[in-house]
Structures are given as structure tokens and as C-alpha cells.
Amino acid sequence: MSLRRRWVVKLDWRGAKTVYQGYVDDPRNTDNAWMETTVAHMHLTPDVAEKLEARAGDDAAAVQWQEVNDQFLNSMYASHGQFVRKALANQ
């Protein structure tokens, strides 16, 4: 039996920078309903990031750490790649 230590990391979002807020270009948009979002970026220290355990929620089947490169950013859903680029540019 393998025992894994679980860390609880509580992030203080007060230091996060708003990258974008408003309308999102999304294929689910219609004339009567559309997506709006708020995108926030918070850079984590390696110590904090190492303690995070990513878990899929009710909107994802799986989750994994991903190298951020142009190919990955271009493959992201809707406007997500643009938001990550903005966050990285504002570090």
C-alpha cells in the first residue's frame, strides 16, 4: 500500500493580476447568450507549485502538467491560449 502525503495549499488571490475581463470568443456563443470571463494570473514560487496536486473537476475528465509552448497554446480551446500568452507577457 502506497501512502501519499496530501498537501492543502490555500492561495491568497489578492496578489493576482487581472489579465482580461469581458466577452470571450467561444463557439457556444449565440445572439442571445454568450460567454464572459475574468482571467487572473498569479505566479507561484517553485516551492508552492511543487505542492499543488492537480485534480480533474466536474468539467474535466483528466488533468496534467503541461509544457507551455506555441503548439500547445495554439491547440487550446476558444480564447484560452490568448489568455495564457497575456499572462506570460505581464509577469
Side-chain angles (χ1 to χ4, degrees), residues 20 23-27 37 39 73 76-85:
Y20 178 82
Y23 171 83
V24 181
D25 186 19
D26 189 288
T37 192
V39 179
L73 292 173
M76 292 183 83
Y77 185 77
S79 303
H80 293 102
Q82 294 170 330
F83 297 146
V84 174
R85 283 185 173 95

PDB file of all heavy atoms in Angstrom, residues 20 23-27 37 39 73 76-85:
ATOM      1  N   TYR A  20      -7.611  39.698 -18.098  1.00  0.00           N
ATOM      2  CA  TYR A  20      -8.702  40.005 -19.021  1.00  0.00           C
ATOM      3  C   TYR A  20     -10.015  39.869 -18.281  1.00  0.00           C
ATOM      4  O   TYR A  20     -10.168  39.017 -17.409  1.00  0.00           O
ATOM      5  CB  TYR A  20      -8.681  39.046 -20.216  1.00  0.00           C
ATOM      6  CG  TYR A  20      -9.820  39.276 -21.178  1.00  0.00           C
ATOM      7  CD1 TYR A  20      -9.737  40.280 -22.142  1.00  0.00           C
ATOM      8  CD2 TYR A  20     -10.977  38.531 -21.112  1.00  0.00           C
ATOM      9  CE1 TYR A  20     -10.786  40.515 -23.017  1.00  0.00           C
ATOM     10  CE2 TYR A  20     -12.031  38.755 -21.983  1.00  0.00           C
ATOM     11  CZ  TYR A  20     -11.923  39.757 -22.928  1.00  0.00           C
ATOM     12  OH  TYR A  20     -12.959  39.994 -23.784  1.00  0.00           O
ATOM     13  N   TYR A  23     -16.091  39.739 -22.632  1.00  0.00           N
ATOM     14  CA  TYR A  23     -16.590  38.800 -23.638  1.00  0.00           C
ATOM     15  C   TYR A  23     -15.490  37.821 -24.054  1.00  0.00           C
ATOM     16  O   TYR A  23     -14.326  38.191 -24.180  1.00  0.00           O
ATOM     17  CB  TYR A  23     -17.061  39.593 -24.862  1.00  0.00           C
ATOM     18  CG  TYR A  23     -17.412  38.744 -26.057  1.00  0.00           C
ATOM     19  CD1 TYR A  23     -18.654  38.150 -26.158  1.00  0.00           C
ATOM     20  CD2 TYR A  23     -16.488  38.540 -27.073  1.00  0.00           C
ATOM     21  CE1 TYR A  23     -18.983  37.373 -27.262  1.00  0.00           C
ATOM     22  CE2 TYR A  23     -16.804  37.765 -28.180  1.00  0.00           C
ATOM     23  CZ  TYR A  23     -18.048  37.180 -28.260  1.00  0.00           C
ATOM     24  OH  TYR A  23     -18.362  36.407 -29.336  1.00  0.00           O
ATOM     25  N   VAL A  24     -15.888  36.576 -24.288  1.00  0.00           N
ATOM     26  CA  VAL A  24     -14.961  35.537 -24.740  1.00  0.00           C
ATOM     27  C   VAL A  24     -15.470  34.978 -26.064  1.00  0.00           C
ATOM     28  O   VAL A  24     -16.641  34.605 -26.176  1.00  0.00           O
ATOM     29  CB  VAL A  24     -14.870  34.384 -23.709  1.00  0.00           C
ATOM     30  CG1 VAL A  24     -13.897  33.332 -24.168  1.00  0.00           C
ATOM     31  CG2 VAL A  24     -14.470  34.913 -22.353  1.00  0.00           C
ATOM     32  N   ASP A  25     -14.594  34.927 -27.059  1.00  0.00           N
ATOM     33  CA  ASP A  25     -14.942  34.315 -28.338  1.00  0.00           C
ATOM     34  C   ASP A  25     -15.029  32.817 -28.116  1.00  0.00           C
ATOM     35  O   ASP A  25     -14.031  32.157 -27.856  1.00  0.00           O
ATOM     36  CB  ASP A  25     -13.878  34.654 -29.379  1.00  0.00           C
ATOM     37  CG  ASP A  25     -14.252  34.181 -30.765  1.00  0.00           C
ATOM     38  OD1 ASP A  25     -15.445  33.928 -31.009  1.00  0.00           O
ATOM     39  OD2 ASP A  25     -13.346  34.060 -31.592  1.00  0.00           O
ATOM     40  N   ASP A  26     -16.222  32.281 -28.167  1.00  0.00           N
ATOM     41  CA  ASP A  26     -16.467  30.882 -27.823  1.00  0.00           C
ATOM     42  C   ASP A  26     -17.484  30.306 -28.794  1.00  0.00           C
ATOM     43  O   ASP A  26     -18.485  30.964 -29.100  1.00  0.00           O
ATOM     44  CB  ASP A  26     -16.989  30.805 -26.377  1.00  0.00           C
ATOM     45  CG  ASP A  26     -17.062  29.399 -25.851  1.00  0.00           C
ATOM     46  OD1 ASP A  26     -17.954  28.640 -26.296  1.00  0.00           O
ATOM     47  OD2 ASP A  26     -16.248  29.045 -24.985  1.00  0.00           O
ATOM     48  N   PRO A  27     -17.265  29.091 -29.288  1.00  0.00           N
ATOM     49  CA  PRO A  27     -18.208  28.512 -30.254  1.00  0.00           C
ATOM     50  C   PRO A  27     -19.609  28.285 -29.692  1.00  0.00           C
ATOM     51  O   PRO A  27     -20.556  28.099 -30.451  1.00  0.00           O
ATOM     52  CB  PRO A  27     -17.549  27.188 -30.663  1.00  0.00           C
ATOM     53  CG  PRO A  27     -16.515  26.912 -29.653  1.00  0.00           C
ATOM     54  CD  PRO A  27     -16.123  28.223 -29.045  1.00  0.00           C
ATOM     55  N   THR A  37     -15.865  36.198 -19.035  1.00  0.00           N
ATOM     56  CA  THR A  37     -14.985  35.595 -18.047  1.00  0.00           C
ATOM     57  C   THR A  37     -14.073  36.632 -17.415  1.00  0.00           C
ATOM     58  O   THR A  37     -13.924  37.739 -17.937  1.00  0.00           O
ATOM     59  CB  THR A  37     -14.141  34.469 -18.686  1.00  0.00           C
ATOM     60  OG1 THR A  37     -13.509  33.716 -17.663  1.00  0.00           O
ATOM     61  CG2 THR A  37     -13.087  35.025 -19.630  1.00  0.00           C
ATOM     62  N   VAL A  39     -10.081  36.546 -16.152  1.00  0.00           N
ATOM     63  CA  VAL A  39      -8.853  35.758 -16.154  1.00  0.00           C
ATOM     64  C   VAL A  39      -7.866  36.442 -15.218  1.00  0.00           C
ATOM     65  O   VAL A  39      -7.571  37.626 -15.379  1.00  0.00           O
ATOM     66  CB  VAL A  39      -8.250  35.661 -17.571  1.00  0.00           C
ATOM     67  CG1 VAL A  39      -6.967  34.857 -17.557  1.00  0.00           C
ATOM     68  CG2 VAL A  39      -9.260  35.075 -18.542  1.00  0.00           C
ATOM     69  N   LEU A  73      -0.267  26.236 -26.977  1.00  0.00           N
ATOM     70  CA  LEU A  73      -1.130  27.415 -26.878  1.00  0.00           C
ATOM     71  C   LEU A  73      -2.080  27.510 -28.069  1.00  0.00           C
ATOM     72  O   LEU A  73      -3.243  27.891 -27.914  1.00  0.00           O
ATOM     73  CB  LEU A  73      -0.285  28.680 -26.769  1.00  0.00           C
ATOM     74  CG  LEU A  73       0.513  28.816 -25.469  1.00  0.00           C
ATOM     75  CD1 LEU A  73       1.435  30.013 -25.540  1.00  0.00           C
ATOM     76  CD2 LEU A  73      -0.402  28.892 -24.266  1.00  0.00           C
ATOM     77  N   MET A  76      -5.238  25.195 -27.685  1.00  0.00           N
ATOM     78  CA  MET A  76      -6.156  25.383 -26.562  1.00  0.00           C
ATOM     79  C   MET A  76      -7.547  25.798 -27.036  1.00  0.00           C
ATOM     80  O   MET A  76      -7.711  26.421 -28.081  1.00  0.00           O
ATOM     81  CB  MET A  76      -5.593  26.415 -25.583  1.00  0.00           C
ATOM     82  CG  MET A  76      -4.352  25.924 -24.874  1.00  0.00           C
ATOM     83  SD  MET A  76      -3.732  27.105 -23.666  1.00  0.00           S
ATOM     84  CE  MET A  76      -4.789  26.688 -22.285  1.00  0.00           C
ATOM     85  N   TYR A  77      -8.537  25.472 -26.252  1.00  0.00           N
ATOM     86  CA  TYR A  77      -9.942  25.742 -26.562  1.00  0.00           C
ATOM     87  C   TYR A  77     -10.235  27.239 -26.547  1.00  0.00           C
ATOM     88  O   TYR A  77      -9.761  27.971 -25.668  1.00  0.00           O
ATOM     89  CB  TYR A  77     -10.820  25.023 -25.546  1.00  0.00           C
ATOM     90  CG  TYR A  77     -12.290  25.113 -25.823  1.00  0.00           C
ATOM     91  CD1 TYR A  77     -12.865  24.329 -26.809  1.00  0.00           C
ATOM     92  CD2 TYR A  77     -13.095  25.989 -25.126  1.00  0.00           C
ATOM     93  CE1 TYR A  77     -14.222  24.404 -27.085  1.00  0.00           C
ATOM     94  CE2 TYR A  77     -14.449  26.072 -25.377  1.00  0.00           C
ATOM     95  CZ  TYR A  77     -15.005  25.274 -26.361  1.00  0.00           C
ATOM     96  OH  TYR A  77     -16.354  25.353 -26.628  1.00  0.00           O
ATOM     97  N   ALA A  78     -11.014  27.675 -27.496  1.00  0.00           N
ATOM     98  CA  ALA A  78     -11.518  29.053 -27.588  1.00  0.00           C
ATOM     99  C   ALA A  78     -10.384  30.066 -27.384  1.00  0.00           C
ATOM    100  O   ALA A  78      -9.378  30.001 -28.063  1.00  0.00           O
ATOM    101  CB  ALA A  78     -12.666  29.250 -26.608  1.00  0.00           C
ATOM    102  N   SER A  79     -10.536  30.980 -26.436  1.00  0.00           N
ATOM    103  CA  SER A  79      -9.574  32.068 -26.225  1.00  0.00           C
ATOM    104  C   SER A  79      -8.508  31.747 -25.180  1.00  0.00           C
ATOM    105  O   SER A  79      -7.714  32.609 -24.826  1.00  0.00           O
ATOM    106  CB  SER A  79     -10.327  33.325 -25.770  1.00  0.00           C
ATOM    107  OG  SER A  79     -11.303  33.690 -26.705  1.00  0.00           O
ATOM    108  N   HIS A  80      -8.472  30.532 -24.671  1.00  0.00           N
ATOM    109  CA  HIS A  80      -7.571  30.212 -23.562  1.00  0.00           C
ATOM    110  C   HIS A  80      -6.094  30.453 -23.885  1.00  0.00           C
ATOM    111  O   HIS A  80      -5.349  30.950 -23.041  1.00  0.00           O
ATOM    112  CB  HIS A  80      -7.792  28.767 -23.103  1.00  0.00           C
ATOM    113  CG  HIS A  80      -9.129  28.555 -22.489  1.00  0.00           C
ATOM    114  ND1 HIS A  80     -10.160  27.956 -23.171  1.00  0.00           N
ATOM    115  CD2 HIS A  80      -9.622  28.888 -21.280  1.00  0.00           C
ATOM    116  CE1 HIS A  80     -11.224  27.913 -22.398  1.00  0.00           C
ATOM    117  NE2 HIS A  80     -10.937  28.480 -21.244  1.00  0.00           N
ATOM    118  N   GLY A  81      -5.659  30.105 -25.083  1.00  0.00           N
ATOM    119  CA  GLY A  81      -4.265  30.321 -25.462  1.00  0.00           C
ATOM    120  C   GLY A  81      -3.891  31.797 -25.437  1.00  0.00           C
ATOM    121  O   GLY A  81      -2.810  32.169 -24.987  1.00  0.00           O
ATOM    122  N   GLN A  82      -4.803  32.653 -25.886  1.00  0.00           N
ATOM    123  CA  GLN A  82      -4.568  34.097 -25.853  1.00  0.00           C
ATOM    124  C   GLN A  82      -4.421  34.582 -24.408  1.00  0.00           C
ATOM    125  O   GLN A  82      -3.583  35.443 -24.118  1.00  0.00           O
ATOM    126  CB  GLN A  82      -5.720  34.845 -26.515  1.00  0.00           C
ATOM    127  CG  GLN A  82      -5.841  34.593 -28.000  1.00  0.00           C
ATOM    128  CD  GLN A  82      -7.127  35.167 -28.560  1.00  0.00           C
ATOM    129  OE1 GLN A  82      -8.142  35.247 -27.874  1.00  0.00           O
ATOM    130  NE2 GLN A  82      -7.085  35.556 -29.820  1.00  0.00           N
ATOM    131  N   PHE A  83      -5.217  34.056 -23.514  1.00  0.00           N
ATOM    132  CA  PHE A  83      -5.151  34.476 -22.112  1.00  0.00           C
ATOM    133  C   PHE A  83      -3.830  34.064 -21.473  1.00  0.00           C
ATOM    134  O   PHE A  83      -3.239  34.831 -20.711  1.00  0.00           O
ATOM    135  CB  PHE A  83      -6.317  33.893 -21.319  1.00  0.00           C
ATOM    136  CG  PHE A  83      -7.668  34.372 -21.778  1.00  0.00           C
ATOM    137  CD1 PHE A  83      -8.762  33.529 -21.726  1.00  0.00           C
ATOM    138  CD2 PHE A  83      -7.848  35.657 -22.278  1.00  0.00           C
ATOM    139  CE1 PHE A  83      -9.998  33.961 -22.142  1.00  0.00           C
ATOM    140  CE2 PHE A  83      -9.093  36.097 -22.697  1.00  0.00           C
ATOM    141  CZ  PHE A  83     -10.168  35.251 -22.626  1.00  0.00           C
ATOM    142  N   VAL A  84      -3.362  32.863 -21.769  1.00  0.00           N
ATOM    143  CA  VAL A  84      -2.075  32.412 -21.215  1.00  0.00           C
ATOM    144  C   VAL A  84      -0.947  33.280 -21.762  1.00  0.00           C
ATOM    145  O   VAL A  84      -0.050  33.692 -21.022  1.00  0.00           O
ATOM    146  CB  VAL A  84      -1.819  30.918 -21.512  1.00  0.00           C
ATOM    147  CG1 VAL A  84      -0.423  30.502 -21.075  1.00  0.00           C
ATOM    148  CG2 VAL A  84      -2.872  30.052 -20.819  1.00  0.00           C
ATOM    149  N   ARG A  85      -1.001  33.599 -23.033  1.00  0.00           N
ATOM    150  CA  ARG A  85       0.023  34.487 -23.619  1.00  0.00           C
ATOM    151  C   ARG A  85       0.032  35.862 -22.930  1.00  0.00           C
ATOM    152  O   ARG A  85       1.083  36.412 -22.622  1.00  0.00           O
ATOM    153  CB  ARG A  85      -0.197  34.661 -25.123  1.00  0.00           C
ATOM    154  CG  ARG A  85       0.257  33.478 -25.938  1.00  0.00           C
ATOM    155  CD  ARG A  85       0.127  33.775 -27.441  1.00  0.00           C
ATOM    156  NE  ARG A  85       0.724  32.713 -28.221  1.00  0.00           N
ATOM    157  CZ  ARG A  85       0.062  31.688 -28.734  1.00  0.00           C
ATOM    158  NH1 ARG A  85      -1.247  31.573 -28.536  1.00  0.00           N
ATOM    159  NH2 ARG A  85       0.700  30.763 -29.426  1.00  0.00           N
TER     160      ARG A  85
END
